[in-house]
Amino acid sequence: MVKMGSQHQRIVVKVGTSSLIYPNGQVNLRTIDRLAYTLATLNHQGYEMVLVSSGAIGVGLASLGLTKRPAEIAQQQALASIGQTELMRIYSQRFLDYQTKVAQILLTRDVLEYPVSRQHTLNTIETLLGDSVVPIINENDPVSVDELDHHTTFSDNDELSAQVATKIKADLLIVLSDIDAFYDRDPHKFADAQPIRHVKEMTPELGKAASGTSTQFGTGGMVTKLRAAATIMEANQNMILCNGQDPKIIFQILDGHKIGTRFGK
């Protein structure tokens, strides 16, 4: 486990829409501020921090005063375009409050699949980290498509965060979610559901325990997080799934406390 005080440890943090948007559709500025404070503090201590952030469509909805995610792809992509600009404005402002600069990187699947574009992307990330800038990564939703031989979408940002973490050889992926840990059954439906604190290998039972439910504003569920964990474990890396209501929980994780569910050795 990565310990606080160790230098040049590379951490990828993924934050989901449910952590960034209140149930009423408004932007959760409190969580964003705490996230910026936490990552900026670690950045100042010498950690190399990368943020994979969902929330573009949710912020787009809030920006236009809407509460329901549209079904039409074009409308979703337009909202993502509006929301991405606003989301980065908020992030940039909050991080600058803590003397930290951020940079935006929007990715499509093909960028990471093709060797040349992948290498250029990795070079950019390495340069930003070398300059103590926090890259904020999201899928390029306004242009992503998924049809025939033109497959540019990620299934979700859980997958994107795992792909980024493995490509940049991160020491740890921390997935901030709206749930405390990975449970043996859906805790929203079963009061006796028990958290699984450490997963060393994937089993069919874990797949059965995962629930693919999604929120009103996001697309991820436990199934997608389990897939992300599988990607991480196949690369012999580590992932922690925990509650993102207060991102300062990351400090506890890096201090070695047993938080959420750890996937890996």
Side-chain angles (χ1 to χ4, degrees), residues 68-80:
K68 185 178 180 180
R69 183 186 180 115
E72 295 81 1
I73 297 299
Q75 290 186 9
Q76 292 182 22
Q77 292 183 309
L79 281 172

Side-chain angles (χ1 to χ4, degrees), residues 67-110:
T67 57
K68 185 178 180 180
R69 183 186 180 115
E72 295 81 1
I73 297 299
Q75 290 186 9
Q76 292 182 22
Q77 292 183 309
L79 281 172
S81 182
I82 294 169
Q84 192 64 47
T85 300
E86 178 66 10
L87 183 60
M88 282 304 300
R89 183 192 68 79
I90 297 171
Y91 273 135
S92 180
Q93 180 187 65
R94 291 302 191 274
F95 272 89
L96 284 175
D97 285 343
Y98 303 112
Q99 292 79 51
T100 299
K101 292 182 179 180
V102 298
Q104 180 184 52
I105 299 179
L106 297 177
L107 296 175
T108 50
R109 176 184 288 273
D110 55 332

Side-chain angles (χ1 to χ4, degrees), residues 43-240:
N43 182 61
H44 293 164
Q45 292 178 352
Y47 286 89
E48 296 178 337
M49 306 303 300
V50 176
L51 175 62
V52 175
S53 175
S54 300
I57 291 180
V59 174
L61 286 167
S63 180
L64 296 182
L66 304 175
T67 57
K68 185 178 180 180
R69 183 186 180 115
E72 295 81 1
I73 297 299
Q75 290 186 9
Q76 292 182 22
Q77 292 183 309
L79 281 172
S81 182
I82 294 169
Q84 192 64 47
T85 300
E86 178 66 10
L87 183 60
M88 282 304 300
R89 183 192 68 79
I90 297 171
Y91 273 135
S92 180
Q93 180 187 65
R94 291 302 191 274
F95 272 89
L96 284 175
D97 285 343
Y98 303 112
Q99 292 79 51
T100 299
K101 292 182 179 180
V102 298
Q104 180 184 52
I105 299 179
L106 297 177
L107 296 175
T108 50
R109 176 184 288 273
D110 55 332
V111 170
L112 291 184
E113 287 185 347
Y114 291 105
V116 175
S117 58
R118 178 175 65 238
Q119 190 58 54
H120 280 290
T121 300
L122 295 179
N123 291 345
T124 298
I125 294 174
E126 291 288 347
T127 301
L128 291 170
L129 294 176
D131 291 335
S132 297
V133 177
V134 176
I136 299 180
I137 300 174
N138 196 358
E139 182 171 0
N140 196 353
D141 291 318
V143 303
S144 294
V145 296
D146 186 7
E147 56 184 31
L148 299 178
D149 61 343
H150 195 53
H151 184 57
T152 66
T153 63
F154 297 95
S155 61
D156 50 76
N157 271 5
D158 293 322
E159 180 194 5
L160 173 58
S161 67
Q163 291 290 337
V164 168
T166 55
K167 296 294 189 297
I168 69 172
K169 296 179 173 57
D171 296 289
L172 181 66
L173 168 62
I174 300 175
V175 176
L176 301 178
S177 182
D178 57 358
I179 196 167
D180 296 334
F182 187 87
Y183 285 77
D184 58 359
R185 58 202 308 200
D186 190 344
H188 296 117
K189 299 178 181 178
F190 303 97
D192 61 345
Q194 296 296 313
I196 302 173
R197 294 302 180 186
H198 192 181
V199 175
K200 295 183 179 181
E201 63 177 350
M202 291 297 170
T203 64
E205 288 72 26
L206 290 175
K208 293 177 182 178
S211 172
T213 57
S214 62
T215 65
Q216 179 180 4
F217 301 104
T219 58
M222 284 301 105
V223 169
T224 65
K225 289 166 180 56
L226 198 63
R227 290 174 184 158
T231 298
I232 288 294
M233 293 173 69
E234 287 173 5
N236 294 316
Q237 293 171 257
N238 292 280
M239 169 181 142
I240 290 179

Side-chain angles (χ1 to χ4, degrees), residues 1-12 42 46-49 169-174 238 240 250-257 262:
M1 181 61 64
V2 180
K3 296 287 187 179
M4 288 283 283
S6 57
Q7 295 299 299
H8 306 299
Q9 298 287 351
R10 184 165 292 185
I11 313 294
V12 175
L42 293 170
Y47 286 89
E48 296 178 337
M49 306 303 300
K169 296 179 173 57
D171 296 289
L172 181 66
L173 168 62
I174 300 175
N238 292 280
I240 290 179
I250 295 172
F251 291 135
Q252 299 178 49
I253 292 172
L254 298 185
D255 264 336
H257 295 284
R262 178 184 177 187

